Amino acid sequence: MPRVPIKLRAAMLAGAGTVLVAGVLSATASAQPSPRVPIAGTHPAWATSSVHMSSMVPSGTVTANVYLAGQDKAGLAAYAAAVSTPGNALYGHYLSAAQVKARFGPSQAQISAVEGWLTSAGLSVTRVSPGIGGYVQVSGSLQQAQAAFGVTFGTFRGPDKQADRAPEQLASAPAGVASDVVSISGLDTARHFMKPADTLPPPDQNYWITPQCSQFYGERIAGGAPKAYGKKQPFTNCGYTPRQIRGAYHVGQSGMTGQGQTVAIVDAYASPTMQSDANQYAKVTGDHPFRAGQYTQELASDFTQTAACGASGWYGEETLDVESVHGQAPDANVTYVGAASCTDSDLLAALALIVDNHLASIVSNSWGEPFDTATLVDTYDEVFQAGAAEGIGFFFSSGDSGYESPQQDSGSDTIQVDWPDSSPYVTSVGGTSLAIGPRSNYVFETSWGTLIDPLSADGKSWSSTPPGIYPDGFDGAGGGGVSTFFNQPAYQQGVVPDSLALSLPNGANATQPMRVTPDVAALADASTGFLIGQTDRQPDGTTLAFSLSRIGGTSLACPTFAGIEADAQQAAGHALGFANPVIYQRYGTSAYHDVTDHPLGSGYLAEVRSNYTDPFTKTGPLVTFLRTLGINGEGAAALPAVQGYDDATGVGSPDLYIQSFHH
């Protein structure tokens, strides 16, 4: 999935860091500073003394968003929990978008107070965005910003390995206005490039799959390749179709198609051929294209930072999301929401748009970042809680780098979970490797975690003793692990073992159980991946045409589960909203496959994959790898999939999940 801020599959850029809100002098005769209140989370976690380069910052300008607190933060959290929890008297008593804004959004008095404080400090208000996730945008010089926000700026070596400006201390706000401020973006320049709006670039080149692949698991054995684990191994599949996945997860058997439901998909930018590609893909794979009006788009008025975000790299992500949701819920309405860029603030704005206008009851998000680079955490959570109050469920990919060890992801400097999937108010979707048989039947499933081992030069053995060398051979894994920030939510109590919830990634024990991810899991491994179709550049590098390829990642798992959730809502006859309480309520039942590392007994599972030397131009010769499945990290970064709940696959993958909601 796209990761913030490091470009992996579909390049994404983290948003600006948060800053300190400082005060103005009181109007007392003694001219003493007014009392100040710290704003939690406003100092960038990466801006430490070890990477501090200088306290001298050149002159310049600042544009900052000061995010507004709602009128009743505690009340919003309580209501979100109540309406989402079966058995509660308020369960399912969702509010309208207008009711949520009136009851929990920022008041005009709060907005005016924040505007007054900022303008009195010399900054100019350039925009006011009311409602859930609302903010006051201001601009001014660096000197004005330092005075207004009570910070000094320094130069640090940022996560992007560049010299970046950032506040040198935590922020505070005048006591009279501090409770009206949740967080701020814009003073930190790391990975945040201010530039005029750009036009979208053309699509990237297609990734071509060799003919040496199988239509279903085990169809073709790689007879010319060496044995591994005592036998010849099968070729990887060419890419499962939606019909095959519907069979394996019993979607077709349920009789549900997502009719009457709306799923929103949030990504940055918008592929210009998204709907036509999805329609052509449906025809190629034997499904029905979108009906008139079934697919709609809500796009930002201007797209920005396209070069920094790798805008064209998002096209495949968006296409995958749309085709996956439509494939599992062919009658559901799909609303694609394209953010202006891949910054934290612009993606947050896209989520807030959905909540403020109740555009959908299910929201699929295939993007994230290591937690220690996240910004605007409290504001994101307010948006998620407001969504829950309306009956909106947010689903997020758990990540493609396992427990985010630096050995597995160069963008992470410690073993940690991802964000936003680790929020207690969203559903984190992890990854599996799925074997589907010739009748679209479920054969087995294991956790997604792949080690690759190249063919030796003479072609008679594998370069290393299988499974290969870690981390050199690490080739992706579903995200998961234990949060060091969020305590254990109520819905995980009694399901997630304390031995897991108390085990912090640094090896220490927590004093109380913590939030653990993922919550559920679905197909993600590219070895057992998904067939995708989109318009992209052909081998000549210039011609554009519709092409098929294979793709994987929790970017696949999340929209797959979101589509299945639409079917479950149809079966239930009502919106499920924030789904985690009902997901965990079904733990240990036939709703899920209990996914483990060794589903067929002891020993490794593996496949053989042959690639073109250059898959973008279909240039040979072929290069061959052994891909061993079910190895999600090693040592402290290991995420073993065991019987019961685990931090590789959560409660499991969908089995009779939809059927469990029939009323």
Side-chain angles (χ1 to χ4, degrees):
M1 71 175 186
R3 305 297 304 278
V4 184
I6 302 301
K7 179 178 179 182
L8 292 182
R9 286 173 172 73
M12 174 174 194
L13 199 64
T18 53
V19 299
L20 178 65
V21 187
V24 294
L25 297 178
S26 76
T28 64
S30 59
Q32 293 297 312
S34 62
R36 314 192 67 77
V37 178
I39 304 297
T42 54
H43 179 66
W46 55 266
T48 62
S49 58
S50 63
V51 295
H52 187 267
M53 299 171 66
S54 171
S55 293
M56 301 295 293
V57 177
S59 61
T61 60
V62 168
T63 298
N65 289 352
V66 179
Y67 287 88
L68 302 163
Q71 300 171 65
D72 185 3
K73 185 175 182 179
L76 175 58
Y79 197 89
V83 298
S84 305
T85 304
N88 191 291
L90 289 175
Y91 177 61
H93 289 261
Y94 304 125
L95 303 175
S96 69
Q99 289 172 322
V100 167
K101 282 189 282 189
R103 183 169 170 179
F104 299 116
S107 67
Q108 184 56 53
Q110 289 176 295
I111 295 172
S112 297
V114 171
E115 287 187 277
W117 154 54
L118 295 169
T119 55
S120 68
L123 295 171
S124 299
V125 174
T126 55
R127 182 178 180 184
V128 176
S129 176
I132 301 299
Y135 57 87
V136 175
Q137 186 178 84
V138 292
S139 63
S141 68
L142 274 177
Q143 290 72 25
Q144 289 172 321
Q146 287 188 140
F149 296 114
V151 297
T152 57
F153 287 114
T155 301
F156 297 80
R157 187 161 185 81
D160 52 7
K161 312 306 179 187
Q162 303 297 315
D164 293 312
R165 184 189 74 212
E168 293 184 317
Q169 56 279 117
L170 275 173
S172 66
V177 75
S179 62
D180 300 325
V181 178
V182 178
S183 50
I184 306 170
S185 69
L187 301 191
D188 168 6
T189 60
R191 311 167 310 281
H192 188 85
F193 303 91
M194 308 301 284
K195 59 171 65 178
D198 296 328
T199 56
L200 289 176
D204 287 337
Q205 286 185 268
N206 189 53
Y207 187 100
W208 296 93
I209 306 302
T210 73
Q212 293 188 341
C213 59
S214 299
Q215 298 301 316
F216 55 85
Y217 178 78
E219 180 197 25
R220 298 183 62 192
I221 302 298
K227 291 182 178 180
Y229 311 117
K231 64 179 183 180
K232 298 286 187 177
Q233 297 293 338
F235 278 117
T236 55
N237 72 294
C238 309
Y240 292 134
T241 65
R243 185 181 301 272
Q244 289 176 289
I245 298 171
R246 292 198 300 268
Y249 287 149
H250 293 128
V251 175
Q253 185 187 85
S254 74
M256 299 294 106
T257 60
Q259 187 172 16
Q261 314 306 311
T262 300
V263 181
I265 293 167
V266 175
D267 287 304
Y269 312 112
S271 166
T273 58
M274 192 140 42
Q275 183 175 3
S276 61
D277 286 343
N279 286 338
Q280 187 165 353
Y281 175 79
K283 294 176 182 178
V284 168
T285 56
D287 286 337
H288 296 293
F290 284 112
R291 303 182 305 274
Q294 188 182 359
Y295 173 87
T296 58
Q297 292 189 157
E298 295 283 345
L299 306 182
S301 57
D302 291 306
F303 292 127
T304 65
Q305 306 186 65
T306 56
C309 289
S312 62
W314 281 82
Y315 297 170
E317 176 61 62
E318 298 153 4
T319 303
L320 167 63
D321 292 348
V322 171
E323 292 175 357
S324 296
V325 169
H326 185 56
Q328 299 309 304
D331 287 327
N333 294 323
V334 173
T335 297
Y336 176 77
V337 182
S341 79
C342 64
T343 60
D344 288 6
S345 56
D346 281 340
L347 287 162
L348 173 63
L351 298 174
L353 178 72
I354 294 170
V355 173
D356 278 339
N357 297 278
H358 198 86
L359 296 181
S361 59
I362 298 166
V363 187
S364 179
N365 305 270
S366 293
W367 41 272
E369 62 189 315
F371 187 84
D372 69 355
T373 62
T375 64
L376 308 176
V377 170
D378 288 343
T379 306
Y380 268 85
D381 274 350
E382 282 200 1
V383 170
F384 298 146
Q385 291 169 0
E390 290 183 30
I392 300 173
F394 292 89
F395 296 78
F396 277 86
S397 299
S398 70
D400 293 353
S401 299
Y403 212 159
E404 286 297 351
S405 164
Q407 293 180 303
Q408 298 168 177
D409 182 355
S410 61
S412 178
D413 57 7
T414 187
I415 299 174
Q416 61 182 310
V417 296
D418 277 18
W419 169 263
D421 85 290
S422 58
S423 167
Y425 303 104
V426 309
T427 299
S428 172
V429 186
T432 70
S433 302
L434 174 63
I436 302 179
R439 299 177 302 282
S440 297
N441 54 300
Y442 183 96
V443 178
F444 70 80
E445 203 165 12
T446 188
S447 61
W448 173 37
T450 305
L451 278 186
I452 62 173
D453 195 357
L455 189 65
S456 64
D458 62 10
K460 297 180 180 180
S461 64
W462 302 107
S463 295
S464 305
T465 301
I469 300 173
Y470 177 88
D472 295 354
F474 178 80
D475 197 46
V482 182
S483 171
T484 59
F485 188 83
F486 294 108
N487 293 335
Q488 184 180 75
Y491 54 78
Q492 288 197 320
Q493 295 173 7
V495 174
V496 179
D498 282 350
S499 58
L500 184 58
L502 293 170
S503 300
L504 300 178
N506 64 0
N509 290 325
T511 57
Q512 56 186 322
M514 306 299 287
R515 163 76 161 134
V516 184
T517 62
D519 299 305
V520 293
L523 167 65
D525 185 0
S527 297
T528 61
F530 182 73
L531 190 71
I532 184 175
Q534 70 175 118
T535 297
D536 43 25
R537 284 183 288 150
Q538 301 301 291
D540 63 11
T542 56
T543 304
L544 295 178
F546 179 85
S547 308
L548 296 174
S549 187
R550 178 182 57 208
I551 197 167
T554 53
S555 290
L556 166 60
C558 185
T560 295
F561 196 90
I564 293 173
E565 186 74 2
D567 302 325
Q569 286 198 165
Q570 180 189 0
H574 59 82
L576 298 173
F578 173 45
N580 283 8
V582 297
I583 285 173
Y584 281 85
Q585 183 187 51
R586 286 158 172 75
Y587 169 72
T589 72
S590 61
Y592 310 109
H593 300 106
D594 187 4
V595 182
T596 65
D597 285 337
H598 303 286
L600 303 183
S602 61
Y604 287 111
L605 296 165
E607 293 184 303
V608 173
R609 176 167 163 176
S610 289
N611 296 339
Y612 292 108
T613 301
D614 185 348
F616 301 105
T617 61
K618 297 179 78 170
T619 302
L622 300 184
V623 289
T624 301
F625 300 86
L626 178 72
R627 299 174 67 86
T628 299
L629 312 179
I631 305 177
N632 193 330
E634 292 188 7
L639 297 175
V642 300
Q643 289 186 340
Y645 179 92
D646 56 67
D647 52 358
T649 62
V651 298
S653 69
D655 186 0
L656 299 178
Y657 178 74
I658 299 168
Q659 290 84 334
S660 73
F661 290 96
H662 278 298
H663 61 287

